[in-house]
Amino acid sequence: MTPDKERDFDDLLVMLKEIRGFDFSGYKRTTLERRIARRLEFLKLRDHAEYRDYLELEPEEFNELFDSLLINVTGFFRDPAAWQSLRANVVRGLVAGKPADQGIRIWSAGCATGEEAYTLAMILAAEMGDEEFTRRVKIYATDLDEQALQVARAAVYTERQVAGVPAEFLETCFERSESGYGFRRDLRRRVIFGRNDLTRDAPISRVDLVSARNTLMYFTTETQLNVVRRFHFALSDPGHLFLGRAEMLLNQSDTFEPVDLRMRIFRKKGGTTSFAGLASRSAQPVAGGPRPAGELHVAALASSPIAHIVLDTEGRLALLNARAEALFNLHPRDLGRPFQDFELSYRPVELRSVIEQARAEVRAVELREVLWHRPGEPQPGVFDIVVLPLRDGAGRLLGVGVNFHEVTRFRRLRDDLQRANRALEPAYEELQQISDALKARESEASEAAPGHQA
Ligand SMILES: C[S@@+](CC[C@H](N)C(=O)[O-])C[C@H]1O[C@@H](n2cnc3c(N)ncnc32)[C@H](O)[C@@H]1O
């Protein structure tokens, strides 16, 4: 685009914001340009300036334009394999893991005409039974597009729209009438529709699952990061995020981890992690504190590839293995010295307060991906550090163990993979958008065809 055309295009976006309150600045420019070009072609207009004049004269065109920009192609059980995975890997655990007196809250973000929200309802009802479902589940389904929400609330779909619903669900969850297939009223009452702009409005809070499929891909990278941060905030811990097949989480390894990467299902990561069970298991090998508990245990500890040190109850270095000696420049003659005498107590990370915390709260504390710039090494090393209180069989505190698990290699591989994914992402998204646009055209054509019944 020439600078003049760019300016005309920007003016059009400003107009949409000022007159209709829709802010498209967080959307991918190429997608907007393509969609608007289609309207220009259809209306036989030359440029964006002419289009602005047209919008002023024919305000009805705003609706056509928004329809085209907020493409709401959707479907029941869209990508069936992804829904199967969600059911097996998330929904089942969610239902089994929550006490029966607690509610289950789900957010379908960018729900379009409701098919995704009702798919969630069908799966949950199947897993927990209709009665439990109607007592405990709430599905908040939101979108920017009011017209789409009206269709969603009416919950009546054509034969073509329900084609993706498996037969057993079509039979049990829909009621056939002259106007089409209506989603069952008692199940429908648990789905609450509302308008919410993902880029600006406050997120729904304390949800167990966010399903936000095929919506992020229309946003710029910056807006995607912003929206994903809101999802992280919205989710309880544990909580899961379900994206569309063409979407990736960029630079989010600190906040989400994959459950099924191919199906784009992620679990929220918390901050520090408690490993109550791990703490008591680890107490055994070093029982006896500074005194070795047996040759086998000592040999195992000494040869471990993970650097390991143990402090006694007075905070003195009581044990260390060969890997810790090599890595931190320690020596067996250092045994018995106060831990705060060593550089390791504050570099690569301030450990004294973490050790205090583990001791006071009698629980393990984990620090993830701590960077350590070692002198003479071109790249920093990366470590996961776990601080464990060590107890004897009677629960008395014997000391504190600190493990330094080097993850530099994994981190580099992951970064390479993310870079490769980032390079592929525009291509995936483009493909998905083109496929959505084709589907939209196909359904427009079939609705316009003679003999079509809505
Ligand atoms: C392609 S549809 C996806 C529908 C459904 N999630 C699915 O995967 O089948 C994208 C939806 O995102 C909605 N959308 C676009 N921008 C939005 C925003 N800023 N906030 C909320 N919804 C938005 C559109 O209105 C549209 O309904």
Side-chain angles (χ1 to χ4, degrees):
M1 255 197 214
T2 62
D4 276 354
K5 287 194 169 163
E6 287 277 348
R7 214 169 312 115
D8 270 347
F9 189 77
D10 287 339
D11 287 346
L12 176 61
L13 295 188
V14 170
M15 179 181 186
L16 299 183
K17 188 172 168 186
E18 282 177 355
I19 298 188
R20 286 302 174 100
F22 277 88
D23 182 0
F24 286 101
S25 56
Y27 290 64
K28 282 186 185 144
R29 187 93 175 182
T30 46
T31 311
L32 295 177
E33 283 170 7
R34 213 177 29 233
R35 294 280 150 74
I36 293 174
R38 244 192 97 196
R39 291 306 305 156
L40 262 63
E41 193 186 310
F42 180 78
L43 297 165
K44 304 203 173 18
L45 299 173
R46 261 180 316 173
D47 54 30
H48 296 124
E50 266 191 24
Y51 189 47
R52 285 204 312 275
D53 294 343
Y54 185 84
L55 279 164
E56 270 178 23
L57 288 172
E58 305 281 344
E60 276 299 297
E61 171 60 16
F62 277 110
N63 296 339
E64 298 296 329
L65 176 62
F66 292 144
D67 245 13
S68 160
L69 294 179
L70 300 178
I71 191 137
N72 32 46
V73 169
T74 183
F76 289 103
F77 293 89
R78 189 176 183 185
D79 308 321
W83 285 99
Q84 265 166 25
S85 176
L86 185 83
R87 183 168 175 180
N89 293 311
V90 176
V91 173
R92 227 159 259 166
L94 175 61
V95 171
K98 274 229 164 181
D101 60 348
Q102 276 184 24
I104 292 180
R105 292 161 63 84
I106 297 178
W107 181 14
S108 167
C111 66
T113 38
E115 287 87 332
E116 180 181 296
Y118 294 131
T119 302
L120 284 161
M122 286 187 262
I123 286 182
L124 271 125
E127 280 300 321
M128 57 203 300
D130 290 354
E131 201 218 304
E132 279 282 282
F133 173 84
T134 48
R135 190 170 65 80
R136 292 175 58 200
V137 176
K138 271 196 181 147
I139 299 172
Y140 299 90
T142 64
D143 201 283
L144 187 62
D145 185 344
E146 267 297 351
Q147 282 183 353
L149 288 170
Q150 273 174 29
V151 176
R153 287 191 191 99
V156 179
Y157 298 93
T158 63
E159 183 140 11
R160 190 160 175 223
Q161 285 169 316
V162 296
V165 180
E168 72 271 22
F169 287 123
L170 192 60
E171 189 133 307
T172 54
C173 299
F174 287 84
E175 282 151 3
R176 186 88 212 259
S177 74
E178 273 181 8
S179 45
Y181 291 80
F183 194 67
R184 238 174 64 197
R185 180 181 288 269
D186 57 331
L187 302 180
R188 194 168 85 209
R189 289 224 317 266
R190 309 306 295 174
V191 188
I192 300 126
F193 289 97
R195 186 173 186 277
N196 178 289
D197 182 342
L198 290 173
T199 64
R200 293 200 299 189
D201 295 333
I204 310 283
S205 62
R206 293 180 292 107
V207 291
D208 301 292
L209 167 66
V210 174
S211 174
R213 312 194 69 219
N214 307 299
T215 301
L216 284 182
M217 66 184 176
Y218 296 104
F219 299 144
T220 59
T221 305
E222 199 190 340
T223 306
Q224 288 189 20
L225 290 172
N226 174 23
V227 174
V228 170
R229 264 198 294 275
R230 285 157 186 259
F231 290 156
H232 189 267
F233 171 82
L235 281 166
S236 300
D237 195 2
H240 289 86
L241 175 62
F242 183 30
L243 299 180
R245 288 292 294 276
E247 293 165 323
M248 270 312 290
L249 277 183
L250 302 174
N251 297 325
Q252 296 289 337
S253 57
D254 291 346
T255 45
F256 287 98
E257 60 193 348
V259 171
D260 183 342
L261 189 59
R262 230 159 51 84
M263 300 302 160
R264 305 294 191 251
I265 300 172
F266 302 87
R267 181 188 304 115
K268 171 179 171 155
K269 271 191 188 177
T272 53
T273 322
S274 162
F275 294 107
L278 185 58
S280 52
R281 274 203 306 280
S282 300
Q284 304 311 318
V286 287
R291 282 173 289 113
E295 272 180 40
L296 194 59
H297 287 148
V298 173
L301 176 71
S303 60
S304 167
I306 296 173
H308 188 78
I309 63 166
V310 176
L311 310 181
D312 65 15
T313 45
E314 307 297 316
R316 288 181 305 238
L317 189 62
L319 279 176
L320 77 166
N321 69 355
R323 180 80 180 123
E325 283 178 43
L327 207 55
F328 306 120
N329 210 10
L330 293 170
H331 193 270
R333 67 170 170 267
D334 292 321
L335 290 172
R337 286 177 56 196
F339 182 58
Q340 73 258 28
D341 285 2
F342 301 105
E343 186 180 341
L344 178 59
S345 66
Y346 58 88
R347 204 192 313 270
V349 68
E350 162 53 50
L351 273 180
R352 288 163 299 187
S353 55
V354 181
I355 290 168
E356 236 357 273
Q357 183 190 351
R359 222 199 309 246
E361 296 175 9
V362 201
R363 68 178 185 91
V365 179
E366 184 177 3
L367 303 174
R368 288 258 174 105
E369 302 200 5
V370 172
L371 292 187
W372 187 24
H373 293 262
R374 281 170 285 194
E377 297 215 351
Q379 302 249 23
V382 188
F383 291 82
D384 285 348
I385 302 175
V386 182
V387 181
L388 299 156
L390 305 171
R391 287 171 290 170
D392 66 11
R396 276 188 303 267
L397 190 71
L398 297 168
V400 173
V402 189
N403 294 326
F404 302 83
H405 200 138
E406 177 148 20
V407 293
T408 315
R409 211 157 42 96
F410 306 117
R411 159 94 172 232
R412 283 197 192 128
L413 279 174
R414 192 199 59 202
D415 288 351
D416 288 349
L417 195 64
Q418 278 183 350
R419 259 192 298 281
N421 273 333
R422 255 199 305 279
L424 274 176
E425 191 219 8
Y428 277 141
E429 294 184 355
E430 188 93 340
L431 209 62
Q432 182 70 53
Q433 289 182 18
I434 290 169
S435 144
D436 277 3
L438 282 174
K439 278 192 204 138
R441 277 194 201 196
E442 211 180 90
S443 84
E444 275 164 26
S446 89
E447 275 162 26
H452 168 82
Q453 291 177 1

